[in-house]
Amino acid sequence: MKIRYFAWVREKVGVEEETLELPADVTTVKDLIAHLKTLDDNHALALADEEVIRVALDQMHVEPHEPLGNTQEVALFPPMTGG
Amino acid sequence: MAIVPSVRVQADDFNPEAEIKKLTAGRSDVGGVVTFTGYCRDEGGRLEALELEHFPGMAEAEIGRIAQEAANRWPLTGLSVIHRFGKIRPGEQIVFVAAASSHRRAAFEASDFLMDFLKTRAPFWKKEHLKEGGTGSWVEAKSADDADAARWQ
């Protein structure tokens, strides 16, 4: 699965995107974030405050309980500050 | 039937006057156009520029979804949204919304709605570049913006 990062989440993780093979028990957005945090210190730091992390599955906003299903691309980012 | 909004995400500046003309040219059913133009502030002289990062593809798609929701909710004759990305200096334009309608209330409300949801749902992030000290911090989301968006539920 392709994972993309934006803004300070991207800066803290240290890459713009990565493609990962996920364990079978990673089925929801929340599972995915928990899994990413185990990868290394950068991921753990970037995603430490799960409450503020926003998620899009295939470019649609979703809540943490959402199943990943057939998602091709997950994006993780801070609360948006456009406008 | 709801109109199809015009949505543009671009690095280039834009001309509000030209955008208004697009909404009114050749028609006689438009009673009013409400526009909002957002500018980059210098934050009391502190700021050299804002750098707007965006999620290409999703930015257009999400603004399109918000704009379509507005078009379904209010009887508009036209709706245009422009959001810039990249480095923007104080005094420059960042965002533009124009809602045209036969009657003013729909145009006022639709543009207000658009701006509230652009703030909270459009995938853009602002980073400050400071006059002294190079790159500053990421602008933090304001809970007041969430409260503004919640008014429309």
Side-chain angles (χ1 to χ4, degrees):
Chain A
M1 189 173 284
K2 186 172 166 187
I3 322 281
R4 299 177 71 168
Y5 307 101
F6 290 94
W8 57 252
V9 175
R10 169 180 55 74
E11 289 182 344
K12 288 182 178 179
V13 171
V15 296
E16 288 183 16
E17 60 177 69
E18 54 193 339
T19 302
L20 301 174
E21 289 291 329
L22 300 179
D25 61 351
V26 173
T27 62
T28 67
V29 166
K30 200 172 169 53
D31 294 341
L32 173 65
I33 293 175
H35 173 69
L36 292 172
K37 285 163 84 169
T38 66
L39 296 181
D40 61 27
D41 288 350
N42 286 353
H43 287 79
L45 182 70
L47 305 172
D49 190 358
E50 283 185 39
E51 288 294 303
V52 306
I53 301 297
R54 300 290 182 266
V55 184
L57 300 185
D58 292 331
Q59 305 194 353
M60 296 275 286
H61 290 299
V62 297
E63 298 295 325
H65 57 75
E66 196 76 19
L68 295 171
N70 295 320
T71 297
Q72 303 292 306
E73 179 189 273
V74 181
L76 301 174
F77 44 79
M80 290 143 281
T81 53
Chain B
M1 211 176 82
I3 50 99
V4 178
S6 156
V7 173
R8 275 151 53 203
V9 173
Q10 61 189 44
D12 293 340
D13 197 14
F14 51 84
N15 178 350
E17 190 63 35
E19 299 304 323
I20 293 170
K21 285 215 172 84
K22 285 184 204 167
L23 293 172
T24 56
R27 2 190 2 154
S28 54
D29 58 340
V30 180
V33 180
V34 171
T35 69
F36 176 87
T37 308
Y39 292 82
C40 176
R41 284 185 301 265
D42 71 356
E43 302 293 357
R46 213 167 45 80
L47 213 65
E48 171 74 25
L50 278 178
E51 181 138 17
L52 274 94
E53 179 171 335
H54 77 301
F55 182 170
M58 182 173 170
E60 291 86 345
E62 187 63 25
I63 294 174
R65 286 190 280 269
I66 299 165
Q68 197 59 60
E69 203 178 320
N72 294 341
R73 190 161 168 171
W74 287 279
L76 305 175
T77 58
L79 180 59
S80 297
V81 185
I82 303 172
H83 204 308
R84 292 179 67 196
F85 60 85
K87 204 174 234 184
I88 296 178
R89 295 179 191 285
E92 287 186 33
Q93 303 177 132
I94 299 176
V95 65
F96 178 77
V97 167
S101 183
S102 294
H103 300 284
R104 72 179 184 283
R105 186 71 58 206
F108 274 119
E109 290 184 358
S111 42
D112 197 11
F113 171 93
L114 247 300
M115 281 310 304
D116 283 349
F117 284 94
L118 283 181
K119 288 258 175 203
T120 53
R121 296 188 62 89
F124 289 81
W125 301 271
K126 293 185 180 120
K127 188 174 204 174
E128 295 184 332
H129 288 261
L130 305 179
K131 278 188 177 156
E132 294 175 20
T135 305
S137 52
W138 291 93
V139 173
E140 277 197 47
K142 298 186 187 78
S143 56
D145 288 335
D146 289 327
D148 283 343
R151 293 183 300 148
W152 302 100
Q153 300 301 321

